[in-house]
Protein backbone atom coordinates (compact mmCIF):
# COMPACT_ATOMS: atom_id res chain seq x y z
CA UNK A 1 0.00 0.00 0.00
CA UNK A 2 1.17 3.51 -0.80
CA UNK A 3 1.37 5.68 2.30
CA UNK A 4 0.87 9.43 2.31
CA UNK A 5 2.66 11.74 4.71
CA UNK A 6 2.37 15.50 5.21
CA UNK A 7 4.63 18.08 6.77
CA UNK A 8 4.44 20.00 8.89
CA UNK A 9 1.60 18.59 10.99
CA UNK A 10 0.74 22.15 12.02
CA UNK A 11 1.94 25.66 11.41
CA UNK A 12 1.24 29.22 12.47
CA UNK A 13 1.84 32.08 10.08
CA UNK A 14 0.95 35.75 9.80
CA UNK A 15 -1.66 37.21 7.49
CA UNK A 16 -0.01 37.83 4.15
CA UNK A 17 2.67 35.18 4.60
CA UNK A 18 3.45 32.60 1.96
CA UNK A 19 2.63 29.14 3.31
CA UNK A 20 3.84 25.83 1.88
CA UNK A 21 2.58 22.39 2.85
CA UNK A 22 4.34 19.24 1.65
CA UNK A 23 2.77 15.88 0.84
CA UNK A 24 4.90 12.82 0.12
CA UNK A 25 3.88 9.44 -1.30
CA UNK A 26 5.83 6.31 -0.39
CA UNK A 27 5.82 5.33 -4.08
CA UNK A 28 5.36 7.31 -7.27
CA UNK A 29 1.78 8.33 -8.05
CA UNK A 30 2.41 10.47 -11.14
CA UNK A 31 0.12 13.49 -10.74
CA UNK A 32 -2.81 11.60 -9.18
CA UNK A 33 -3.07 13.94 -6.21
CA UNK A 34 -5.74 16.25 -4.83
CA UNK A 35 -5.79 18.77 -2.00
CA UNK A 36 -8.71 19.58 0.32
CA UNK A 37 -9.39 22.27 2.87
CA UNK A 38 -11.47 21.44 5.95
CA UNK A 39 -12.48 24.35 8.15
CA UNK A 40 -13.45 23.59 11.76
CA UNK A 41 -16.85 21.92 11.90
CA UNK A 42 -17.20 21.92 8.11
CA UNK A 43 -17.06 19.46 5.26
CA UNK A 44 -13.85 19.02 3.21
CA UNK A 45 -13.65 21.27 0.17
CA UNK A 46 -11.73 20.38 -2.99
CA UNK A 47 -8.98 22.89 -3.78
CA UNK A 48 -6.65 21.22 -6.28
CA UNK A 49 -6.81 18.09 -8.44
CA UNK A 50 -4.31 16.46 -10.80
CA UNK A 51 -1.59 17.94 -8.54
CA UNK A 52 -1.86 21.46 -9.95
CA UNK A 53 -5.33 22.09 -11.42
CA UNK A 54 -7.30 24.68 -9.47
CA UNK A 55 -10.91 23.70 -8.76
CA UNK A 56 -13.46 26.19 -10.05
CA UNK A 57 -14.24 28.92 -7.54
CA UNK A 58 -11.09 28.43 -5.46
CA UNK A 59 -9.08 31.64 -4.92
CA UNK A 60 -5.96 31.93 -7.05
CA UNK A 61 -3.75 32.34 -3.97
CA UNK A 62 -3.93 28.54 -3.71
CA UNK A 63 -1.63 26.56 -6.00
CA UNK A 64 -0.32 23.02 -6.22
CA UNK A 65 2.77 21.48 -7.74
CA UNK A 66 4.71 18.26 -7.90
CA UNK A 67 4.73 14.86 -9.50
CA UNK A 68 5.88 11.38 -8.61
CA UNK A 69 6.38 11.29 -4.85
CA UNK A 70 6.68 14.93 -3.74
CA UNK A 71 3.93 17.52 -3.85
CA UNK A 72 3.31 20.96 -2.41
CA UNK A 73 0.29 23.13 -1.69
CA UNK A 74 1.12 26.83 -1.54
CA UNK A 75 -0.98 29.67 -0.19
CA UNK A 76 0.66 32.75 -1.66
CA UNK A 77 -0.76 35.22 0.85
CA UNK A 78 -2.40 33.71 3.92
CA UNK A 79 -5.82 35.11 4.81
CA UNK A 80 -7.78 34.73 8.07
CA UNK A 81 -10.38 32.59 6.29
CA UNK A 82 -7.66 30.08 5.37
CA UNK A 83 -7.51 28.75 8.93
CA UNK A 84 -8.23 25.07 8.36
CA UNK A 85 -6.76 21.61 8.14
CA UNK A 86 -5.42 20.70 4.70
CA UNK A 87 -5.37 17.12 3.41
CA UNK A 88 -3.71 15.60 0.37
CA UNK A 89 -5.30 12.57 -1.31
CA UNK A 90 -3.86 10.11 -3.80
CA UNK A 91 -6.08 8.42 -6.38
CA UNK A 92 -3.78 6.38 -8.62
CA UNK A 93 -5.12 3.32 -6.84
CA UNK A 94 -7.40 2.97 -3.81
CA UNK A 95 -7.88 6.51 -2.49
CA UNK A 96 -5.74 7.45 0.48
CA UNK A 97 -5.41 10.64 2.48
CA UNK A 98 -2.49 12.25 4.21
CA UNK A 99 -2.79 12.88 7.97
CA UNK A 100 -3.48 16.59 7.52
CA UNK A 101 -1.76 19.89 8.21
CA UNK A 102 -3.42 22.35 10.56
CA UNK A 103 -2.91 26.00 9.61
CA UNK A 104 -3.42 28.78 12.14
CA UNK A 105 -2.90 32.52 12.16
CA UNK A 106 -0.05 33.78 14.32
CA UNK B 1 -27.07 23.01 -6.95
CA UNK B 2 -25.41 19.67 -6.21
CA UNK B 3 -26.57 18.31 -2.85
CA UNK B 4 -25.74 15.17 -0.93
CA UNK B 5 -27.70 14.42 2.24
CA UNK B 6 -26.76 11.44 4.41
CA UNK B 7 -29.00 9.70 6.92
CA UNK B 8 -29.18 6.51 8.93
CA UNK B 9 -26.44 7.05 11.49
CA UNK B 10 -26.87 6.42 15.18
CA UNK B 11 -25.75 4.43 18.19
CA UNK B 12 -25.23 0.71 17.66
CA UNK B 13 -23.70 -2.02 19.78
CA UNK B 14 -20.51 -3.81 18.73
CA UNK B 15 -21.40 -6.57 16.30
CA UNK B 16 -24.52 -4.75 15.18
CA UNK B 17 -25.60 -3.46 11.78
CA UNK B 18 -26.60 -0.14 10.30
CA UNK B 19 -27.59 1.06 6.84
CA UNK B 20 -26.60 4.53 5.71
CA UNK B 21 -28.28 6.39 2.86
CA UNK B 22 -27.18 9.36 0.79
CA UNK B 23 -29.81 11.24 -1.21
CA UNK B 24 -28.36 13.04 -4.20
CA UNK B 25 -29.84 15.96 -6.13
CA UNK B 26 -28.78 18.64 -8.59
CA UNK B 27 -26.96 16.33 -11.01
CA UNK B 28 -27.54 13.22 -13.14
CA UNK B 29 -26.77 10.68 -10.45
CA UNK B 30 -26.24 7.65 -12.68
CA UNK B 31 -23.45 9.42 -14.59
CA UNK B 32 -21.12 9.68 -11.60
CA UNK B 33 -19.26 7.31 -9.35
CA UNK B 34 -19.69 7.79 -5.63
CA UNK B 35 -17.74 6.97 -2.49
CA UNK B 36 -18.08 6.87 1.27
CA UNK B 37 -15.37 8.57 3.32
CA UNK B 38 -15.31 8.56 7.11
CA UNK B 39 -13.74 10.73 9.77
CA UNK B 40 -13.36 9.48 13.34
CA UNK B 41 -13.84 12.18 16.02
CA UNK B 42 -10.86 14.52 15.97
CA UNK B 43 -9.08 12.41 13.35
CA UNK B 44 -8.29 12.53 9.65
CA UNK B 45 -10.12 11.30 6.57
CA UNK B 46 -10.35 7.64 5.59
CA UNK B 47 -11.79 6.38 2.31
CA UNK B 48 -14.18 3.49 2.96
CA UNK B 49 -15.79 2.35 -0.28
CA UNK B 50 -16.50 3.35 -3.87
CA UNK B 51 -18.96 2.42 -6.59
CA UNK B 52 -19.09 3.13 -10.31
CA UNK B 53 -21.93 5.10 -11.86
CA UNK B 54 -23.67 1.99 -13.10
CA UNK B 55 -23.21 0.21 -9.80
CA UNK B 56 -21.50 -2.65 -11.56
CA UNK B 57 -18.13 -2.14 -9.87
CA UNK B 58 -17.53 -1.78 -6.16
CA UNK B 59 -14.39 -1.24 -4.10
CA UNK B 60 -13.55 -1.38 -0.41
CA UNK B 61 -10.83 -0.39 1.99
CA UNK B 62 -9.18 -3.40 3.63
CA UNK B 63 -10.48 -2.22 7.01
CA UNK B 64 -14.12 -2.81 5.98
CA UNK B 65 -13.87 -5.51 3.31
CA UNK B 66 -16.26 -8.36 4.01
CA UNK B 67 -18.26 -6.31 6.54
CA UNK B 68 -19.55 -3.33 4.54
CA UNK B 69 -21.49 -3.33 1.26
CA UNK B 70 -21.91 -0.30 -0.97
CA UNK B 71 -24.80 -0.07 -3.40
CA UNK B 72 -26.85 2.49 -5.28
CA UNK B 73 -30.34 2.87 -6.69
CA UNK B 74 -30.07 5.14 -9.71
CA UNK B 75 -33.86 5.29 -10.03
CA UNK B 76 -34.00 6.85 -6.56
CA UNK B 77 -30.79 8.90 -6.80
CA UNK B 78 -29.62 7.26 -3.60
CA UNK B 79 -26.35 5.73 -2.41
CA UNK B 80 -26.23 3.18 0.40
CA UNK B 81 -23.73 1.67 2.79
CA UNK B 82 -24.73 -1.50 4.61
CA UNK B 83 -22.49 -1.91 7.63
CA UNK B 84 -22.39 -5.26 9.46
CA UNK B 85 -20.25 -6.63 12.29
CA UNK B 86 -19.59 -3.11 13.49
CA UNK B 87 -16.61 -2.42 15.73
CA UNK B 88 -15.72 0.44 18.06
CA UNK B 89 -13.13 1.61 15.52
CA UNK B 90 -15.90 2.16 12.96
CA UNK B 91 -17.14 5.10 15.05
CA UNK B 92 -16.97 8.13 12.76
CA UNK B 93 -18.86 10.65 10.72
CA UNK B 94 -19.60 9.01 7.38
CA UNK B 95 -19.66 11.30 4.35
CA UNK B 96 -20.84 10.42 0.91
CA UNK B 97 -18.72 12.04 -1.77
CA UNK B 98 -19.28 12.55 -5.48
CA UNK B 99 -16.63 11.64 -8.03
CA UNK B 100 -16.55 13.85 -11.15
CA UNK B 101 -16.55 10.85 -13.50
CA UNK B 102 -18.45 7.64 -14.25
CA UNK B 103 -15.65 5.47 -12.89
CA UNK B 104 -14.67 5.52 -9.24
CA UNK B 105 -10.95 6.26 -9.07
CA UNK B 106 -10.65 10.00 -8.73
CA UNK B 107 -10.83 12.96 -6.45
CA UNK B 108 -14.07 14.02 -4.75
CA UNK B 109 -15.66 17.25 -5.91
CA UNK B 110 -18.67 17.38 -3.59
CA UNK B 111 -19.16 16.10 -0.04
CA UNK B 112 -22.25 15.61 2.07
CA UNK B 113 -22.47 16.89 5.64
CA UNK B 114 -22.16 13.39 7.00
CA UNK B 115 -23.98 11.16 9.46
CA UNK B 116 -22.49 10.07 12.78
CA UNK B 117 -22.13 6.38 13.54
CA UNK B 118 -21.25 5.50 17.13
CA UNK B 119 -20.40 1.90 17.97
CA UNK B 120 -20.53 1.38 21.72
CA UNK B 121 -22.08 -0.87 24.33
Amino acid sequence: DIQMTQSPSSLSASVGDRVTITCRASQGISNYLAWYQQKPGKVPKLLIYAASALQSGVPSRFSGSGSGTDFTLTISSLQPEDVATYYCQKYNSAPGFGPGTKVNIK
Amino acid sequence: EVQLVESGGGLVQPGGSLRLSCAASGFTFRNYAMSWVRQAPGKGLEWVSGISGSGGSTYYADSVKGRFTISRDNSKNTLYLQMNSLRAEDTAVYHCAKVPFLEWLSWFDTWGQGTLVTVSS
Side-chain angles (χ1 to χ4, degrees):
Chain A
D1 279 4
I2 298 174
Q3 303 302 314
M4 307 300 291
T5 57
Q6 287 183 234
S7 61
S9 56
S10 65
L11 67 89
S12 289
S14 299
V15 173
D17 280 356
R18 183 181 185 88
V19 169
T20 298
I21 299 169
T22 297
C23 175
R24 180 162 290 168
S26 59
Q27 298 174 41
I29 58 170
S30 185
N31 69 334
Y32 295 105
L33 189 99
W35 289 96
Y36 300 88
Q37 174 194 65
Q38 186 175 30
K39 296 183 179 181
K42 300 296 185 182
V43 168
K45 174 188 173 183
L46 176 68
L47 299 176
I48 302 282
Y49 60 92
S52 61
L54 192 68
Q55 172 71 351
S56 176
V58 173
S60 59
R61 63 180 180 274
F62 292 93
S63 64
S65 65
S67 183
T69 60
D70 295 321
F71 303 86
T72 58
L73 173 71
T74 299
I75 308 173
S76 61
S77 177
L78 187 67
Q79 300 301 305
E81 60 267 31
D82 300 335
V83 169
T85 299
Y86 293 84
Y87 295 93
C88 60
Q89 177 226 332
K90 70 168 183 73
Y91 53 90
N92 65 312
S93 59
F97 293 90
T101 295
K102 194 169 184 178
V103 174
N104 286 308
I105 300 291
K106 195 182 292 183
Chain B
E1 180 193 4
V2 174
Q3 278 202 319
L4 301 171
V5 180
E6 302 91 337
S7 61
L11 175 63
V12 61
Q13 292 189 340
S17 298
L18 215 51
R19 189 198 200 198
L20 306 184
S21 299
C22 170
S25 61
F27 63 103
T28 305
F29 184 65
R30 65 179 179 274
N31 287 350
Y32 297 94
M34 299 289 294
S35 268
W36 288 96
V37 179
R38 68 185 180 184
Q39 187 166 31
K43 301 297 184 182
L45 301 168
E46 180 188 13
W47 173 78
V48 172
S49 182
I51 188 168
S52 61
S54 68
S57 300
T58 58
Y59 309 87
Y60 300 93
D62 288 343
S63 57
V64 306
K65 202 171 293 183
R67 300 188 298 124
F68 290 12
T69 302
I70 191 172
S71 62
R72 63 191 296 160
D73 185 336
N74 286 344
S75 69
K76 295 183 178 179
N77 292 345
T78 303
L79 175 73
Y80 302 101
L81 185 68
Q82 177 67 43
M83 304 186 296
N84 299 331
S85 302
L86 282 162
R87 307 166 180 168
E89 55 264 36
D90 295 319
T91 294
V93 173
Y94 285 72
H95 298 276
C96 64
K98 174 183 166 288
V99 172
F101 307 107
L102 191 60
E103 290 306 316
W104 75 292
L105 200 53
S106 176
W107 60 91
F108 308 115
D109 63 1
T110 306
W111 298 61
Q113 289 295 321
T115 186
L116 176 62
V117 172
T118 303
V119 184
S120 175
S121 54

